[in-house]
Amino acid sequence: MTRPHDYSTAKEELQPIAPSKLVIENVSKSFRASSGTVLALDRVSLNVAEGEFVCLVGASGCGKSTLLSIIAGLEKPDSGTVFADGKRVSGPGRERLVMFQEPALFPWLNVLSNVLFGLNLKHNLSRKDRLDVARYYLELVGLTRFERANTHELSGGMKQRVALARALAPNPRVLLMDEPFAALDALTRDQLYGDLQKIWQARRKTIVFVTHNVREAACLGDRVLLFSPHPGRIQEEFVIDLPRPRDINRIDLAEYANRISTALKDIGRTERKPALV
Amino acid sequence: MKRFILAALFFGLMLLAWEWAYRAKLWSPVLLPAPGQVAVYLKEAAADGTLAHATIITMRRLLVGYLVGLIGGLPLGLLTARWNVARDTIGTMALGLQTLPSVCWVPLALLWFGQSEAAMLFVVVMGTLWSVVIATETGVRNVPPIYRRAAMTMGSKGLHMWLKVVLPASLPFIVSGMKQGWAFAWRSLMAAEIFVTILTGFGLGQLLHYGRELSAMEQVIGIMLIIVVIGLLVDKIFFSPVETFLHRRWGTSNA
Ligand SMILES: Nc1ncnc2c1ncn2[C@@H]1O[C@H](COP(=O)(O)OP(=O)(O)O)[C@@H](O)[C@H]1O
Ligand SMILES: [Mg+2]
């Protein structure tokens, strides 16, 4: 990639940071809803290695977002613990940044200022370093030309790119992505799969990626974990042993996707007919 | 340009109709003077300084009252949005008092402060404060939770969260609250000036009042025109640009 901009002063800030190891131990969470108590997560345990790309797949409502929020520290589990690099997660922190399904960009800020938001909270950086870092990530997601644009002027795909740049800019150890591409058209999505894998390889992050699209999961994940609903549990695990970067249209990827899909349907069947369990 | 011509045409026709009604003696000339007579009054009042003087006095009262209302209303609105206790107490009070027409504050103000500037200020503040409180509270409560969650993960909390996320996110609501507060302040001040005939300075409302006392209808109508024009100007010079800016940033309108 050509870099017309000189990022030398922000060099230190732009060094890849060691990705985190995540340990999730017996995490349970229930919600009180109008229809009664919903057990969203039932003793979920899961390890994610440093720099691993893990995809969580499951029908909607099986607790994927809840688990992500708990890993982020945005919500507290009823019981169980999340450890990041051996330290207990007790609240949100910028080592673990979240990308939501809606871009959640701040409409009162332009594109550049959105990317600067997290950087401005790093008090050790100079103004120039922050700008350099923000511009570096805008370039990484291919939006240099749009740094002065208002967020509503961007297409859905561009918005998610900005959201990705905003999440990457503070150099987190973990990226938590909650169906970030679900609302995009297929073409834009295919492009982002390539970009995300490139960025992941360049920046070495631990990524937990939630989706209900099995193909997407097989394309992106080192491992794909299958969630079952009511109560939310991890049902099955698939190791995707394919070279990267992976094209979403690879034939061998389709085989993995089929296996995951079948397993997902089985879960659906057993759930609908509890007598068969 | 076309819109401007249409508007000019509209107001020109209004003036013509007015002049025609005067000549046709549809009403007694005592009740409705001709546009020319109003213009003459305005010219004279402008020439001898009455108009400028009254306008300055009125604007000063308005500005002070409005600013006090804003400075009090914003934090109170944030407070009621943040703590349910404040909402149940201050918020409920604000909701109730907001429905009270501001002229209803005048008797109380007169009893408490007499015929003084303080009475006037009190009425304007009461007219402004509560609508600003409510607009701010509504604005803050309407901030999509996802903004806070996103900001939280990036390490924002406490004062930073309020200043950099909650306040800007509720800006569209706050600005419309400020606009409403301005309209209320303006109405309250006119009510106050008409009823509180103090000696510390003649505002536009007092000119209006004395116009009636002297049966000088050209004065009454002239002052009414001035009041309307000031209201319009403030809207066009101050609020419109701010609203246009917000719409452009948020992408909420094709304005
Ligand atoms: N804040 C909440 N209040 C009540 N119920 C909730 C809340 N958040 C999630 N739930 C419930 O918990 C379950 C899991 O939700 P979620 O984690 O959003 O699922 P997913 O992301 O897999 O679609 C659902 O049944 C949902 O209704
Ligand atoms: Mg979800």
Side-chain angles (χ1 to χ4, degrees), chain A residues 31-33 38 40 59-67 178-179 210 230:
Chain A
F31 290 106
R32 289 161 61 103
V38 182
S60 113
C62 65
K64 306 181 299 288
S65 296
T66 306
L67 181 62
D178 193 356
E179 307 196 33
V210 164
H230 311 122

Side-chain angles (χ1 to χ4, degrees), chain A:
Chain A
M1 197 185 286
T2 55
R3 296 228 176 100
H5 195 88
D6 174 27
Y7 301 111
S8 49
T9 56
K11 212 179 250 159
E12 199 176 321
E13 181 60 24
L14 288 170
Q15 288 299 313
I17 197 167
S20 283
K21 174 182 158 76
L22 293 175
V23 176
I24 292 125
E25 263 180 18
N26 280 316
V27 163
S28 298
K29 175 86 182 172
S30 53
F31 290 106
R32 289 161 61 103
S34 47
S35 53
T37 307
V38 182
L39 190 53
L41 294 173
D42 183 25
R43 281 164 290 150
V44 171
S45 293
L46 150 73
N47 291 346
V48 185
E50 293 92 340
E52 193 181 14
F53 200 137
V54 168
C55 290
L56 305 179
V57 181
S60 113
C62 65
K64 306 181 299 288
S65 296
T66 306
L67 181 62
L68 221 59
S69 292
I70 290 174
I71 299 174
L74 287 168
E75 272 178 67
K76 300 233 175 314
D78 297 338
S79 63
T81 322
V82 175
F83 296 96
D85 295 321
K87 272 193 300 212
R88 191 194 167 118
V89 169
S90 58
R94 63 164 161 256
E95 316 81 56
R96 284 161 284 113
L97 284 189
V98 188
M99 215 181 131
F100 303 94
Q101 181 172 346
E102 318 94 284
L105 297 178
F106 302 136
W108 58 94
L109 299 176
N110 66 21
V111 165
L112 182 64
S113 301
N114 263 286
V115 180
L116 278 169
F117 188 92
L119 290 166
N120 286 335
L121 284 153
K122 287 192 145 185
H123 299 293
N124 55 332
L125 295 182
S126 71
R127 170 100 192 126
K128 166 130 193 355
D129 286 352
R130 287 179 189 143
L131 274 173
D132 279 353
V133 173
R135 295 213 165 102
Y136 169 82
Y137 285 104
L138 274 180
E139 193 179 313
L140 199 61
V141 299
L143 286 177
T144 302
R145 276 186 332 108
F146 294 91
E147 66 169 52
R148 296 275 154 216
N150 293 323
T151 58
H152 70 89
E153 294 160 353
L154 306 178
S155 69
M158 285 156 85
K159 280 186 192 148
Q160 281 302 23
R161 283 168 195 271
V162 177
L164 181 60
R166 183 175 73 172
L168 288 169
N171 212 5
R173 294 170 193 273
V174 180
L175 207 52
L176 304 167
M177 308 177 79
D178 193 356
E179 307 196 33
F181 306 147
L184 303 180
D185 62 275
L187 225 64
T188 311
R189 230 166 28 208
D190 289 0
Q191 223 177 357
L192 281 166
Y193 295 145
D195 292 351
L196 182 59
Q197 291 185 74
K198 246 190 283 164
I199 289 170
W200 173 67
Q201 282 181 321
R203 305 300 308 175
R204 297 310 304 171
K205 308 279 175 207
T206 301
I207 299 187
V208 182
F209 189 104
V210 164
T211 174
H212 56 244
N213 180 335
V214 289
R215 237 191 139 89
E216 179 171 288
C219 173
L220 295 174
D222 293 326
R223 264 191 304 155
V224 176
L225 303 177
L226 215 57
F227 257 66
S228 69
H230 311 122
R233 276 192 192 134
I234 294 174
Q235 197 74 18
E236 223 173 315
E237 172 181 317
F238 298 85
V239 176
I240 313 292
D241 194 11
L242 292 175
R244 289 183 188 268
R246 302 174 189 151
D247 189 297
I248 184 88
N249 294 316
R250 282 176 68 125
I251 306 287
D252 38 7
L253 200 143
E255 278 166 30
Y256 277 106
N258 278 339
R259 274 172 49 203
I260 303 170
S261 214
T262 312
L264 203 59
K265 277 186 205 124
D266 282 347
I267 292 174
R269 244 197 317 279
T270 47
E271 204 216 352
R272 246 172 280 126
K273 299 188 189 126
L276 292 181
V277 177

Side-chain angles (χ1 to χ4, degrees), chain B residues 89-143:
Chain B
T89 52
I90 300 170
T92 310
M93 188 166 78
L95 207 60
L97 293 182
Q98 189 214 12
T99 62
L100 191 66
S102 35
V103 68
C104 301
W105 288 104
V106 174
L108 187 73
L110 282 174
L111 282 173
W112 281 4
F113 302 103
Q115 307 268 350
S116 67
E117 286 290 323
M120 206 100 60
L121 188 66
F122 178 74
V123 174
V124 177
V125 171
M126 286 299 120
T128 315
L129 183 68
W130 309 115
S131 67
V132 174
V133 171
I134 290 184
T136 310
E137 189 202 323
T138 312
V140 172
R141 282 191 191 272
N142 276 292
V143 174

